[in-house]
Amino acid sequence: MDVPELLESASLLVPEETATENDITVRDIWDYLVHDEWEIALGLLEQLGDARSLPLAFWEKLAEAAEQARLERSAAWCHWRCSEIRNGVIRADLTLRPAAEARRTTPISGAGVLRPMWDIGHLSPTGGRAVSIASLWVEDMPMLEPGGRATARLVPLTPSRWTHVQPGQQITMHEDRTVAGTAVILEVHRLATAMPAR
């Protein structure tokens, strides 16, 4: 399928009554598709997907369309949403340690490429700290500076290890043995659960 076919196919998976915060519906998107405004149509479809829980096939089609159109950030976001549907997602208020207090002195990418370790309360067989891995997406920011704070989305590598995590719980982020940041859990969404906008 080419880009317009993928976008058309994805749009057919959106219920007609679904609307963005600005009251854009799938009917409005068809106007953009008719006029070959694929990038706008893709962005609006992403917004519709963020407003409502849509099937994995929707995000897969958008990811493929974004890749064909060479829209890297959109492709990354759509693949990220596929991961959320497969593994669940945790939203958290993340604060990185300042550069003077941590090993990291450069910003972290906000686009889901970092897979840090998290201390979520598990212990190793010897009684030491056992960490779990979760990918990290920073909402509404391409980068997060040391000392910065933002809402982050975590997709656990092994969701079964995260079942005890609850809103209000504080966890720590690690890139090595030192603490790189702290996060307070805002929301926990298990597999195939609707998610709010990024």
Side-chain angles (χ1 to χ4, degrees):
M1 285 188 186
D2 61 15
V3 172
E5 290 172 330
L6 287 163
L7 295 176
E8 288 171 15
S9 181
S11 71
L12 294 173
L13 297 172
V14 179
E16 229 177 284
E17 69 277 4
T18 305
T20 68
E21 289 179 2
N22 299 325
D23 291 326
I24 302 289
T25 66
V26 74
R27 288 182 186 207
D28 300 308
I29 292 167
W30 279 91
D31 291 336
Y32 289 107
L33 290 173
V34 166
H35 293 97
D36 294 331
E37 306 244 9
W38 305 335
E39 189 171 349
I40 294 171
L42 175 64
L44 292 173
L45 282 166
E46 287 176 20
Q47 288 180 36
L48 286 174
D50 290 341
R52 180 183 187 129
S53 178
L54 292 175
L56 179 61
F58 171 84
W59 290 105
E60 289 173 335
K61 290 175 190 305
L62 289 189
E64 188 176 341
E67 286 174 352
Q68 286 186 27
R70 293 184 169 80
L71 300 170
E72 292 177 17
R73 178 106 176 150
S74 283
W77 175 243
C78 295
H79 283 298
W80 179 268
R81 290 305 303 268
C82 290
S83 294
E84 289 184 352
I85 292 168
R86 289 185 193 106
N87 299 312
V89 66
I90 296 161
R91 293 181 73 237
D93 181 9
L94 172 65
T95 304
L96 296 182
R97 291 184 65 194
E101 298 175 15
R103 287 199 173 177
R104 176 175 284 279
T105 57
T106 58
I108 62 169
S109 169
V113 296
L114 190 66
R115 292 173 64 179
M117 298 169 286
W118 299 88
D119 182 351
I120 57 174
H122 289 294
L123 297 177
S124 71
T126 60
R129 177 181 64 214
V131 292
S132 298
I133 296 173
S135 298
L136 171 69
W137 184 285
V138 180
E139 292 186 1
D140 303 319
M141 299 173 77
M143 300 279 189
L144 183 59
E145 298 284 338
R149 181 178 175 186
T151 301
R153 298 167 88 97
L154 311 178
V155 171
L157 182 64
T158 309
S160 61
R161 292 188 50 83
W162 293 71
T163 56
H164 69 286
V165 174
Q166 299 296 324
Q169 181 177 348
Q170 182 171 306
I171 61 175
T172 56
M173 178 179 130
H174 300 263
E175 293 184 86
D176 55 26
R177 291 182 181 203
T178 62
V179 174
T182 58
V184 176
I185 305 301
L186 301 173
E187 300 173 38
V188 178
H189 297 272
R190 308 294 179 210
L191 303 178
T193 302
M195 278 302 305
R198 57 187 160 146

